[in-house]
Amino acid sequence: MAYPPQRSVRGSTEVSDDRSAGPEAGLPRVFDVYERLGHADPTGAWDTFCRTHNWAAPLAGADPAADPGGAPPAARPAEGGRLLSGAWRLPSAYRRARWLALRSGPADSAPADGRPPEGRALYVVEVGALERTGGIDGDALLIRLRDLYIPAGLTAGTEGRDLRADEAAFLWVAVTGMAMGVARHVLERVADLDQDAVPSGAPTAGLGALLERRRESVRRDLTLVARPGEGVASHGIVRQVEESHHLVRDVYAAAYEYALPRSRAVHPLERIMAGSAPVLQHARFTTSLLPAVGTTSD
């Protein structure tokens, strides 16, 4: 669910017009721009990114299909995502793909929840998961789904600029920057709870220092990669991305466990964490969705 942008109570970090920085900007600047965006606008950063960049463009696509006796493809809103039902025509090369982007049908109107309108949405699913559900008819090249849950972080929009397969590192770094900016915002909001709300010794205090060190480490490695002739994999960017995402999840877990249960009323932090969930959903799969040549990611 999308919410209006939230400002950090410790001083808003303004995001300038470079919020749509693309692959041409260079990885260090991409990281800085999207980290600031995640911090200043934790509940809208992902929507902004998806409106600007179609990250699912390099994936194998499947078109809606007429399934005799079945309803047309549809996606119903669900908490944190959508439930997908209907039939899709598979590309002939689907067996060689790890991920599929299921295209939605024609749109009558845009939904009111901030997600991409039907007709311009791409729902990304793992081929292996589909095969395990028995939904694939390999002979007819059809996939039939009934209420398959698609997280909001695996929904892309076609209105933005198509990313290329060789721009995978841009996706990794932008998502990592957003996730770390959101985590920084969350920790600031935890610090603003009543003193008695978070017990002394809670891990949220130490996580702030870990997050800052991680940010410096990622920025340092991205600067090395920015040198001419340096490869993406040569300085461990995949490892940095994945370890950064683990740290962000630790921040969320600590906030849920130590801060929210002890706040005296429903805290705005709850809404921020729910609204920024798509970034974390996507971050879990970032390096496998668009793996770069030469990395060890599957």
Side-chain angles (χ1 to χ4, degrees), residues 26 30 40 58 64 75 86 153 157 172 196 218 228 231 234-235 245 254 260 262 272 289:
V30 166
W172 304 347
D196 294 336
V218 171
S234 60
H235 291 286
H245 296 165
L260 291 180
R262 293 174 171 83
I272 292 169
L289 281 163

Side-chain angles (χ1 to χ4, degrees), residues 175-176 178-184 186-187 203-204 207 210-211 214 238-258 273 276-288:
V175 172
T176 301
M178 280 185 279
M180 293 181 72
V182 170
R184 183 159 62 99
V186 166
L187 287 176
T204 48
L207 285 171
L210 288 176
L211 190 66
R214 169 62 56 186
V238 175
R239 175 184 52 80
Q240 284 279 29
V241 166
E242 293 175 346
E243 290 181 358
S244 297
H245 296 165
H246 285 304
L247 178 57
V248 170
R249 288 195 290 273
D250 288 344
V251 169
Y252 268 64
Y256 272 118
E257 182 176 357
Y258 290 92
M273 294 175 73
S276 58
V279 178
L280 272 70
Q281 293 171 345
H282 187 92
R284 180 181 175 189
F285 303 103
T286 302
T287 55
S288 63

Side-chain angles (χ1 to χ4, degrees), residues 1-265:
M1 183 177 293
Y3 297 96
Q6 302 289 321
R7 290 180 180 271
S8 167
V9 294
R10 289 196 173 276
S12 172
T13 301
E14 295 296 335
V15 179
S16 63
D17 290 341
D18 64 2
R19 66 170 56 204
S20 60
E24 70 285 346
L27 295 181
R29 181 164 173 260
V30 166
F31 178 77
D32 290 343
V33 166
Y34 285 102
E35 199 277 342
R36 290 198 302 271
L37 177 57
H39 177 252
D41 187 5
T43 62
W46 178 247
D47 285 343
T48 296
F49 183 80
C50 288
R51 285 195 302 269
T52 309
H53 304 286
N54 176 10
W55 56 266
L59 304 177
D63 292 317
D67 192 18
R76 295 189 290 108
E79 184 176 357
R82 291 200 168 187
L83 297 175
L84 208 58
S85 298
W88 279 261
R89 181 73 58 186
L90 296 169
S92 57
Y94 88 88
R95 293 180 180 86
R96 298 195 299 273
R98 178 170 180 179
W99 298 91
L100 283 175
L102 308 183
R103 300 184 180 97
S104 52
D108 294 327
S109 62
D113 59 7
R115 296 183 177 93
E118 295 299 326
R120 297 206 303 270
L122 297 169
Y123 302 106
V124 176
V125 295
E126 193 170 13
V127 173
L130 295 175
E131 290 175 335
R132 289 191 293 274
T133 66
I136 290 182
D137 181 347
D139 294 333
L141 285 178
L142 279 178
I143 178 173
R144 296 180 178 87
L145 303 175
R146 182 174 180 180
D147 288 343
L148 177 69
Y149 179 73
I150 306 292
L154 292 184
T155 300
T158 61
E159 64 268 34
R161 170 194 178 276
D162 288 354
L163 290 186
R164 302 192 309 267
D166 61 0
E167 292 170 335
F170 163 74
L171 175 67
W172 304 347
V173 172
V175 172
T176 301
M178 280 185 279
M180 293 181 72
V182 170
R184 183 159 62 99
H185 187 107
V186 166
L187 287 176
E188 290 175 356
R189 298 305 294 261
V190 167
D192 287 320
L193 293 171
D194 293 339
Q195 281 191 338
D196 294 336
V198 183
S200 60
T204 48
L207 285 171
L210 288 176
L211 190 66
E212 182 60 29
R213 288 199 295 271
R214 169 62 56 186
R215 188 167 63 161
E216 293 174 357
S217 177
V218 171
R219 189 64 166 70
R220 182 186 63 246
D221 279 6
L222 293 178
T223 301
L224 292 173
V225 171
R227 295 176 181 174
E230 297 286 355
V232 170
S234 60
H235 291 286
I237 299 302
V238 175
R239 175 184 52 80
Q240 284 279 29
V241 166
E242 293 175 346
E243 290 181 358
S244 297
H245 296 165
H246 285 304
L247 178 57
V248 170
R249 288 195 290 273
D250 288 344
V251 169
Y252 268 64
Y256 272 118
E257 182 176 357
Y258 290 92
L260 291 180
R262 293 174 171 83
S263 60
R264 296 188 177 124

